[in-house]
Amino acid sequence: MEGVSSLPSMFLNVSIGKFIDEFGFETLKKKISFAKITKLQAERLTDYISRYKR
């Protein structure tokens, strides 16, 4: 995710959210990893995923 400055909800909904809907949260944890992300991006992803699970 090098060079990406923000993670808008619209992007997360059609990427991470759709992945979770189709394959489940456990598959996301097993198959997807992020490299070269900032602390802010990691926090945003963590927050998004935790709220999506609810």
Side-chain angles (χ1 to χ4, degrees), residues 1 3 5 7 15 18 25 28 30 32-34 40 45 48:
M1 300 206 28
S5 59
L7 296 172
S15 58
K18 186 170 182 171
F25 178 71
L28 175 75
K30 290 178 186 174
I32 304 292
S33 64
F34 296 92
L40 185 62
L45 284 165
Y48 177 84

Side-chain angles (χ1 to χ4, degrees), residues 31-43:
K31 301 289 184 181
I32 304 292
S33 64
F34 296 92
K36 297 185 180 183
I37 63 173
T38 66
K39 182 179 178 181
L40 185 62
Q41 290 169 329
E43 290 170 353

Side-chain angles (χ1 to χ4, degrees), residues 3-51:
V4 175
S5 59
S6 67
L7 296 172
S9 294
M10 185 174 184
F11 167 76
L12 294 172
N13 290 338
V14 298
S15 58
I16 304 299
K18 186 170 182 171
F19 187 95
I20 294 170
D21 285 343
E22 290 187 23
F23 303 105
F25 178 71
E26 290 302 316
T27 302
L28 175 75
K29 286 182 9 182
K30 290 178 186 174
K31 301 289 184 181
I32 304 292
S33 64
F34 296 92
K36 297 185 180 183
I37 63 173
T38 66
K39 182 179 178 181
L40 185 62
Q41 290 169 329
E43 290 170 353
R44 174 78 168 114
L45 284 165
T46 300
D47 182 59
Y48 177 84
I49 292 168
S50 69
R51 282 201 250 162

